[in-house]
């Protein structure tokens, strides 16, 4: 019974980490790094619950809905609050509006994912897990980028979640059963490194997450350019010779 419940335990752990990230964010600037790290660890738990469920043949509608609800908190509400504490509280009512937009778009993204059939091997729209990871770690660059740039980046991430941009889906990449023993070791290493280097670790994690978000934008731009060229060629071919 416990073994079959393991995926849901991981999902609830993800939810707990999201709540913890919110609490850490509101404890002050000195805890913001740890809040971002907590979101990153939540990403690990979120990546594992589905794989463990498939391995144990323990998938269920209950687990699917619980996962979505947990993701809204950990990767929607928590990163938005981190950004609000670091930057957006200076924007008054506008900052509150921008803070609310991000988890709302995340919830819409998850609702669409749950009811619509996707494209095999791809996500439609930036996954909330990746968007939340980018936002939580991006907030730590508030001394590098100005507040307006960070606010615009937050709105862009929110838009990408509800967009139809296709992103590669790595969640269903299989892991041999014989390799599952190393999972707790990897998580332990990540936690130790994060605790030892709380300021550097989340900033490093930001880079691959940001590249993933930008990848979808690039692919979409390439598609639109290709579509425009095809239309232009058709129009040129349809023009009669004088």
């Amino acid at each position: 019974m416990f073994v079959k419940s393991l995926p849901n335990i991981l999902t609830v752990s993800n939810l707990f980490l999201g709540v913890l990230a919110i609490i850490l964010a509101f404890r002050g600037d000195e805890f913001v790094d740890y809040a971002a790290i907590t979101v990153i660890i939540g990403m690990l738990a979120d990546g594992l619950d589905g794989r463990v469920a498939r391995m144990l043949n323990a998938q269920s509608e209950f687990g699917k809905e619980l996962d979505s609800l947990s993701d809204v908190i950990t990767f929607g509400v928590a990163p938005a609050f981190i950004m609000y504490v670091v930057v957006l509280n200076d924007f008054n009512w506008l900052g509150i509006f921008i803070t609310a937009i991000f988890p709302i778009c995340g919830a819409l993204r998850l609702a669409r994912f749950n009811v619509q059939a996707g494209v095999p091997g791809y996500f439609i729209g930036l996954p909330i897990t990746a968007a939340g990871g980018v936002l939580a770690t991006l907030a730590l660059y508030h001394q590098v980028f100005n507040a307006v740039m960070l606010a615009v980046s937050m709105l862009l991430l929110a838009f990408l979640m509800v967009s139809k941009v296709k992103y590669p889906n790595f969640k269903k990449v299989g892991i041999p059963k014989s390799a599952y023993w190393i999972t707790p070791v990897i998580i332990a290493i990540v936690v130790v490194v994060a605790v030892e280097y709380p300021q550097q670790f989340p900033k490093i994690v930001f880079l691959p997450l940001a590249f993933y978000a930008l990848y979808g934008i690039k692919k979409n731009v390439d598609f639109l350019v290709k579509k425009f060229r095809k239309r232009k060629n058709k129009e040129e071919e349809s023009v009669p010779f004088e």
Side-chain angles (χ1 to χ4, degrees), residues 78-188:
F81 278 0
I82 292 172
M83 184 64 83
Y84 177 80
V85 169
V86 172
V87 175
L88 296 178
N89 60 339
D90 294 330
F91 284 58
N92 298 318
W93 65 268
L94 181 59
I96 295 173
F97 176 77
I98 296 173
T99 301
I101 284 292
F102 186 83
I104 288 171
C105 289
L108 292 172
R109 163 73 177 76
L110 288 166
R112 183 179 67 185
F113 175 79
N114 287 341
V115 301
Q116 290 185 2
V119 179
Y122 289 91
F123 291 114
I124 304 301
L126 180 64
I128 188 174
T129 309
V134 172
L135 187 63
T137 51
L138 177 63
L140 305 182
Y141 286 89
H142 63 279
Q143 294 180 337
V144 178
F145 304 111
N146 64 53
V148 173
M149 187 180 298
L150 292 175
V152 170
S153 298
M154 186 173 179
L155 291 173
L156 176 61
L157 288 169
F159 166 75
L160 288 174
M161 284 193 287
V162 296
S163 72
K164 293 187 178 180
V165 177
K166 291 195 296 185
Y167 284 87
N169 180 1
F170 302 114
K171 268 198 167 185
K172 294 186 179 179
V173 176
I175 299 176
K177 290 185 179 181
S178 58
Y180 271 92
W181 65 270
I182 203 170
T183 299
V185 177
I186 294 174
I187 293 177

Side-chain angles (χ1 to χ4, degrees), residues 41-111:
I41 297 173
M43 292 177 67
L44 290 175
D46 180 66
L48 285 173
D49 57 7
R51 288 183 171 89
V52 172
R54 287 188 289 273
M55 183 189 73
L56 300 175
N57 194 25
Q59 300 103 313
S60 66
E61 285 300 314
F62 174 82
K64 182 179 178 182
E65 295 302 323
L66 180 62
D67 183 66
S68 294
L69 293 171
S70 299
D71 287 352
V72 170
I73 300 299
T74 306
F75 310 115
V77 178
F81 278 0
I82 292 172
M83 184 64 83
Y84 177 80
V85 169
V86 172
V87 175
L88 296 178
N89 60 339
D90 294 330
F91 284 58
N92 298 318
W93 65 268
L94 181 59
I96 295 173
F97 176 77
I98 296 173
T99 301
I101 284 292
F102 186 83
I104 288 171
C105 289
L108 292 172
R109 163 73 177 76
L110 288 166

